[in-house]
Every structure is written in C-alpha cells, then in structure tokens.
C-alpha cells in the first residue's frame, strides 16, 4: 500500500493528490495546484506532464534532451544507448522548439492571414455594391415609370427583374466564395491558437506538432480569387419611343464569364467556332488560335501560323483560309492553314486596314493614304469606292442589318464613328461621350449585333460602348471597373458571346462575355 500512496503524493505540498506534472529542474512531482504556483514562481523551470515525464525504457524521469536523436532522455539513457550523443538542457531544447513554433505562427499572421482578410473585405464590398446597384436601378426605373406610364412599366419591371436576377446569382456565387475564404481564415486562426497553447505544453507534444506540419494542406497560402464583378446596366439619358420599343423587344443580359491572359496585347480577334478564336498580337507576325474551356473558364493555345508580314486586320473565310491586310506592302494576302501566303489584291498606293464581308459576301476594305475611302470588291478586279469625301483614315468597318457601313475613322486629329449608306451618303457621326474626360475618344474596333446595335471599343477611355443603329449611346457594356483596360479587337461568336481583346503594360488579356441571351 506504500507504493501507491507515494506515487500520489505531491513533493511540494506533501498531500495525496493526482499528480499532473514533473519538474525536470527540481526533480519533483507536483499536483495541479502546485504546478500552477510553481510555474508562476519559477517560469524558467520545465514542467513535463506525468504521461511524458518518464523514460519508457527505464521508467526514470527525463533529465536532458538528446540533440542527435531529437528526444528527451533520462540519466540511464546517457550511459546506455545514448552514450556519446550530444545533449542539451531540457529548458534550452524547449525554447528552441518554441522558437520554431513562433516563426511558423509569425508567417501565418504576417503573410497568409492578411491575404484572407483582404479577400474577405473585397468580397463584402462587392456584396454592398451589388445591393446598391439594385437599389439604384429601382430608383431609376420608378422615375421613368411616372413619365412614360404603361410602356415604361413593362420595360422597368423587366429590367429590374433582369438586374436583380443577374446580381442575385452573382451574389450567391460570391457568398459561396466568401464562405470558403472565411472557413480558411478560421482554420488559420485556429492554427495560430494551437501555436500559442504550445507554450504551456510538453516538449513531446510540441515535437509532434512540428513533425506533422504542414497542418493546413487543404488551405492554400493565397485565398481563393473572387469572381469578377458583373457590369452595371445604365439607361440612356433620353429614352425615345424608338429606343423604348427596341429595348422592350430585347432585354440584354451582360454577364462576364471570365478572362484569360495572353502573352501580348490583342489587336484583332475572330471567332472560328463557339469556343475557339484566332487572335493577332500587337506588332507580331503571328496568328494564334485559342480554345476556351467552359468547365474551367480558361483558354489554351492550340496552334499558331507564322507570317511574313504584320497583319493589320484578318478575316477567316470559308474553306479555312484567311484574308489579311498588309498596309506596308499595300496588299491583301491570302493565307492558307499552313501559313503559306499569296497575293490576293493589290491596293497600291492605298494602305489597306480594316476588312469585312457585306451581306452579298463582297469584300469591303478600309483604305487610307492622302485621303480615305471604303472599297467594295465584287471580285478581285472590279470594285466601287464609297465615302471618299467623308473619311480621312478609316481603320475598321462592319455592315449593320440596315445595310449601312459602320466605319471607324482613326485620324491623328479626329476620331469618330460614321455610318455610310450603300450609296456613299453619311447617315450619322458619333464623336464619343462628352462626359468621358479621361482621354480622347479612340475607337479601335466596331461590331454590329443581330439587333442592329453597334458595339465600339474605346481604347483611350477603357470602355466598350453600345450604340443604337442611329448612333445614339445606349449604355456602357464594359469599363475599367470590371477589369477592362485599353480594349482593342472584338468579335461575336455563334452563341452570342462577346470576345474583347485588350493590352496593358506589354501584356494581353481576352474577356469572354455573355452579351445577348
């Protein structure tokens, strides 16, 4: 009976109590209360939990820490298996292990945790913006409702429902992303708390903690990237009856799908299928094909064609060949699927730039020189010229559903969009938005959609504008707030996705946007 009594007797208070720890420095077994007092009076002493205080081989209390074997040992171990090994004081060994824990904790606090906090703050701001945008749209619609009565009721209700549906869908997605970020942040904070608690734990527990690192294998070092915000919708300042009828007949849903990085700024882009595009990089003699992966919202480079010239613009023709304009050689080249070229049309002394096919599948070419014009080729030798009294330096052209040619004139002193009818008469001109004070209106590409609306990329103001068929501004489809910067080439694919190429600081990017649904 003497042995159990001795085993339960505290060496400090000399009472029979449950022993919780053993002081390596004092060679004393202590109860819970004495352990707390001992740690306050002698904080430098090492107190080991009773379960970790004795050597499993000799059943003696640990006295030193073997540096070679990285484990605590008793006195008998020193003359046994660990004879000749380097060892250190238990307190020194514990401080070294705690230093490693503090370094790990410092990395979490200084590097990983702030990133998660920043992403959480950004996500919360986006949620607030979404709520604010919904309220703004409701206010705008209610004001228009009183002025335009029944007709506006239909439009306002449909637009509000469209905006709410779109933003609520993106809000739901953002909330899911935020929950992942918040969960990751909580795991990191729990890990930090574990590090703090280790200061009062035994060296074996500290060792087990360090040996099982990393603990946050499922939590990335950088938080999940938040999805890009959805662009806002804006009404024109003055809604005419014609515009109302057009908007009522076609409610546009603009949703950013994703964007992918390219090696250089994208000058021209053309869809060859619903998920594949050919692009031409700024100042490069190469055409590159990208394939957009819906399941990953990414794009991969599939193939490229090296050319002997810098294409100003290109068209993908039936039969898998290209027509490409070369303003330096005053020529339009025919390029086959292997990159071989042959002269198709000579335009000397004019410089060919923008190309398009009209409804009759005739080739329309923007030509510039001392003056500018549109040249419509019935075949390789026969053509007619339009707009020679309206244009100075036409750069891009597209034909709208009303048979008008929509032309960008990119002269050094004057930049505008002009509509020219099949007889060469000017229908209207657009000189940009007066409220855009960021830079001079600098259109780089133009498209016409199935609703006879006109899409223009404004390079200088980082905008993609939507005009009606009469050249009146309807809304900003994309702007810098949503990641758009210096837009250049654009195209529409068969599914109504709008592809917008851009460039900044020598890097390129392509936005994939669901335009009409």
């Amino acid at each position: 009976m003497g042995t159990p009594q001795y085993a339960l007797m505290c060496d400090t208070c000399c009472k029979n109590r449950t022993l919780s720890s053993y002081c390596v420095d004092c060679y004393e077994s202590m109860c819970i209360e004495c352990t707390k007092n001992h740690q306050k009076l002698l904080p430098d002493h090492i107190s080991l939990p009773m379960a970790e205080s004795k050597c499993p081989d000799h059943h003696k209390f640990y006295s030193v820490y073997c540096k070679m074997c990285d484990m605590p040992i008793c006195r008998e171990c020193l003359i046994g298996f660990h004879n000749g090994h380097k060892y250190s004081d238990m307190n020194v060994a514990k401080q070294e292990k705690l230093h490693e824990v503090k370094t790990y904790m410092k990395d979490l606090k200084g590097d990983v945790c702030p990133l998660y906090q920043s992403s959480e703050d950004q996500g919360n701001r986006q949620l607030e913006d979404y709520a604010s945008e919904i309220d703004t749209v409701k206010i705008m619609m209610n004001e228009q409702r009183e002025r335009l009565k029944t007709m506006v009721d239909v439009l306002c209700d449909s637009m509000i429902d469209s905006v709410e549906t779109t933003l609520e869908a993106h809000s739901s997605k953002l909330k899911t992303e935020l929950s992942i970020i918040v969960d990751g942040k909580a795991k990191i904070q729990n890990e930090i708390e574990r590090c703090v608690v280790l200061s009062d734990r035994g060296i074996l527990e500290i060792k087990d903690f360090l040996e099982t690192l990393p603990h946050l294998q499922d939590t990335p070092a950088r938080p999940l990237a938040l999805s890009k915000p959805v662009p806002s919708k804006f009404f024109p300042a003055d809604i005419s009856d014609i515009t109302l009828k057009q908007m009522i007949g076609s409610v546009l849903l603009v949703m950013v799908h994703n964007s992918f990085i390219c090696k250089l700024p994208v000058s021209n882009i053309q869809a060859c299928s619903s998920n594949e595009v050919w692009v031409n990089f700024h100042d490069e003699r190469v055409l590159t094909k990208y394939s957009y992966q819906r399941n990953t919202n990414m794009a991969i480079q599939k193939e490229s064609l090296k050319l002997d010239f810098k294409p100003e613009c290109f068209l993908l023709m039936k039969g898998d060949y290209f027509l490409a304009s070369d303003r330096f050689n005053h020529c339009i080249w025919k390029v086959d699927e292997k990159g071989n070229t042959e002269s198709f049309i000579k335009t000397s002394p004019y410089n060919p730039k923008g190309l398009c096919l009209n409804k009759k599948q005739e080739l329309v070419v923007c030509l510039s020189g001392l003056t500018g014009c549109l040249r419509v080729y019935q075949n390789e030798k026969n053509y007619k010229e339009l707009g020679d009294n309206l244009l100075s330096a036409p750069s891009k052209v597209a034909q709208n559903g009303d048979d008008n040619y929509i032309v960008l004139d990119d002269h050094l002193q004057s930049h505008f969009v002009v509509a020219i009818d099949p007889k060469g008469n000017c229908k209207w001109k657009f000189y940009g938005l007066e409220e855009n004070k960021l830079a001079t209106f600098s259109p780089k590409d133009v498209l016409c959609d199935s609703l006879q609306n006109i899409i223009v990329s404004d390079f200088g103001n980082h905008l993609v504008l939507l005009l009606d068929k009469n050249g009146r501004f309807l809304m900003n489809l994309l702007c810098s707030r949503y990641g758009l910067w210096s837009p250049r080439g654009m195209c529409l694919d068969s599914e109504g996705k709008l592809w917008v190429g851009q460039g900044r600081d020598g890097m390129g990017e392509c936005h994939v946007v669901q335009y009409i649904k």
Side-chain angles (χ1 to χ4, degrees):
M1 295 294 293
T3 301
Q5 289 179 359
Y6 176 77
L8 296 176
M9 181 172 290
C10 176
D11 292 332
T12 302
C13 63
C14 299
K15 294 181 180 180
N16 289 338
R17 292 181 177 179
T18 301
L19 303 180
S20 65
S21 64
Y22 172 77
C23 180
V24 176
D25 298 281
C26 300
Y27 304 107
E28 292 183 351
S29 301
M30 295 174 289
C31 62
I32 296 176
E33 293 182 2
C34 292
T35 297
K36 294 179 180 178
N37 295 330
H38 190 79
Q39 290 176 344
K40 292 180 180 179
L41 295 174
L42 300 170
D44 295 335
H45 283 205
I46 297 179
S47 298
L48 298 177
M50 290 300 294
E52 299 183 4
S53 61
K54 288 187 178 182
C55 171
D57 296 327
H58 306 105
H59 303 288
K60 299 292 180 68
F61 287 110
Y62 292 131
S63 58
V64 294
Y65 195 85
C66 179
K67 299 177 72 175
M68 294 184 65
C69 300
D70 195 21
M71 60 183 296
I73 58 175
C74 66
R75 296 287 180 183
E76 291 192 17
C77 291
L78 279 174
I79 59 176
F81 176 77
H82 297 271
N83 185 24
H85 289 191
K86 292 183 178 181
Y87 61 90
S88 65
D89 181 78
M90 290 285 285
N91 191 43
V92 174
K94 178 179 179 180
Q95 294 304 319
E96 290 176 351
K97 297 296 183 183
L98 282 176
H99 178 72
E100 295 181 31
V101 173
K102 290 178 180 178
T103 301
Y104 170 63
M105 179 176 65
K106 181 179 179 182
D107 292 339
L108 291 177
K109 284 184 175 180
D111 297 331
V112 181
C113 197
L115 293 175
Y116 275 82
Q117 184 64 52
S118 176
S119 292
E120 181 183 5
D121 293 341
Q122 180 185 351
N124 287 326
R125 286 195 298 269
Q126 285 188 22
L127 286 176
E128 292 175 0
D129 289 343
Y130 287 160
S132 176
E133 287 179 12
I134 292 175
D135 293 339
T136 301
V137 170
K138 287 182 178 180
I139 292 173
M140 291 173 59
M141 296 304 99
N142 288 327
E143 290 176 352
Q144 296 287 355
R145 188 192 308 273
E146 295 299 324
R147 186 169 66 87
L148 299 174
K149 298 182 179 180
T150 306
M151 197 173 190
V152 173
D153 283 341
V154 177
L155 173 63
C156 291
D157 291 340
S158 63
M159 290 296 290
I160 289 174
D161 181 65
S162 172
V163 173
E164 284 185 325
T165 301
T166 302
L167 292 183
E168 285 172 359
H170 281 264
S171 295
S172 176
K173 181 179 179 182
L174 186 59
K175 288 177 181 178
T176 301
E177 295 170 348
L178 271 176
S179 67
I180 297 174
I181 291 173
V182 172
D183 182 63
K185 177 184 171 184
K187 291 180 180 178
I188 293 171
Q189 291 176 337
N190 290 336
E191 187 75 352
I192 292 174
E193 292 176 2
R194 288 182 64 187
C195 294
V196 174
V197 171
L198 285 177
S199 299
D200 300 328
R201 299 298 173 85
I203 193 168
L204 287 180
E205 187 172 346
I206 297 172
K207 176 190 172 186
D208 290 341
F209 176 86
L210 294 172
E211 288 179 345
T212 55
L213 289 178
H215 298 155
L216 303 176
Q217 297 181 6
D218 296 333
T219 304
R222 296 183 64 87
L224 175 71
L226 296 174
S227 58
K228 291 192 176 183
V230 58
S232 301
K233 303 173 93 48
F234 300 98
F235 270 117
D238 182 21
I239 303 179
S240 64
D241 290 346
I242 297 176
T243 305
L244 275 173
K245 292 177 181 178
Q246 185 180 28
M247 295 182 72
I248 289 172
S250 58
V251 176
L252 302 179
L253 285 178
V254 180
M255 298 180 291
V256 174
H257 273 197
N258 212 315
S259 63
F260 58 89
I261 301 298
C262 304
K263 62 180 181 178
L264 290 170
V266 177
S267 294
N268 296 286
I269 182 168
Q270 186 170 9
C272 52
S273 68
S274 61
N275 290 301
E276 291 184 336
V277 290
W278 283 95
V279 302
N280 164 231
F281 299 123
H282 185 58
D283 284 339
E284 264 220 343
R285 302 183 177 188
V286 177
L287 297 180
T288 305
K289 187 177 185 180
Y290 280 95
S291 177
Y292 178 67
Q293 309 296 311
R294 291 193 181 199
N295 56 338
T296 60
N297 282 337
M298 298 295 291
I300 59 173
Q301 181 176 327
K302 294 195 67 175
E303 60 180 295
S304 60
L305 297 177
K306 292 185 178 181
L307 307 177
D308 297 328
F309 61 95
K310 294 179 182 178
E312 194 72 17
C313 183
F314 67 89
L315 287 177
L316 179 61
M317 308 294 288
K318 292 182 179 179
D320 293 332
Y321 71 91
F322 297 93
L323 291 182
S325 57
D326 177 6
R327 67 185 180 95
F328 294 104
N329 294 301
H330 313 293
C331 179
I332 296 174
W333 300 94
K334 184 176 180 180
V335 183
D336 66 16
E337 58 186 4
K338 296 182 179 179
N340 301 317
T341 60
E342 63 174 289
S343 178
F344 183 66
I345 294 175
K346 290 286 186 179
T347 61
S348 181
Y350 289 101
N351 304 320
K353 292 187 177 181
L355 307 173
C356 83
L357 295 177
N358 63 16
K359 292 182 178 179
K360 299 178 181 179
Q361 295 301 298
E362 297 170 332
L363 180 63
V364 183
V365 184
C366 292
L367 297 176
S368 63
L370 296 177
T371 60
C373 68
L374 287 184
R375 188 174 285 180
V376 182
Y377 285 88
Q378 285 80 31
N379 51 52
E380 298 177 15
K381 296 182 179 180
N382 299 320
Y383 59 83
K384 64 178 179 179
E385 293 185 352
L386 302 173
D388 55 345
N389 59 334
L390 300 172
L391 303 171
S392 298
S395 59
K396 291 293 176 68
V397 60
Q399 189 178 36
N400 208 354
D402 56 3
D403 294 338
N404 291 332
Y405 294 105
I406 312 300
V407 187
L408 303 185
D409 198 293
D410 197 19
H411 193 265
L412 293 175
Q413 298 178 349
S414 178
H415 309 273
F416 57 87
V417 183
V418 59
I420 301 175
D421 67 17
K423 296 182 180 180
N425 301 314
C426 176
K427 305 298 291 184
W428 51 261
K429 287 186 178 182
F430 177 78
Y431 291 92
L433 301 176
E434 294 183 0
E435 56 267 32
N436 288 339
K437 303 298 183 181
L438 183 63
T440 303
F441 179 53
S442 181
K444 292 298 180 183
D445 205 352
V446 61
L447 300 174
C448 298
D449 65 21
S450 58
L451 304 173
Q452 297 187 22
N453 293 320
I454 299 159
I455 308 169
V456 180
S457 61
D458 184 353
F459 178 86
N461 293 290
H462 318 299
L463 295 172
V464 173
L465 309 176
L466 183 67
L467 312 179
D468 68 10
K469 66 177 183 178
N470 298 310
R472 291 175 296 197
F473 172 73
L474 293 178
M475 60 165 86
N476 294 320
L477 286 180
L478 293 173
C479 61
S480 58
R481 179 184 175 189
Y482 305 104
L484 187 74
W485 200 267
S486 302
R488 299 170 185 259
M490 303 183 299
C491 71
L492 284 168
D493 65 21
S494 58
E495 293 185 347
K497 293 194 298 295
L498 175 65
W499 301 68
V500 182
Q502 68 176 32
R504 182 182 185 185
D505 299 330
M507 290 297 296
E509 189 173 8
C510 186
H511 291 265
V512 186
V513 178
Q514 186 64 55
Y515 169 58
I516 297 178
K517 194 173 184 180

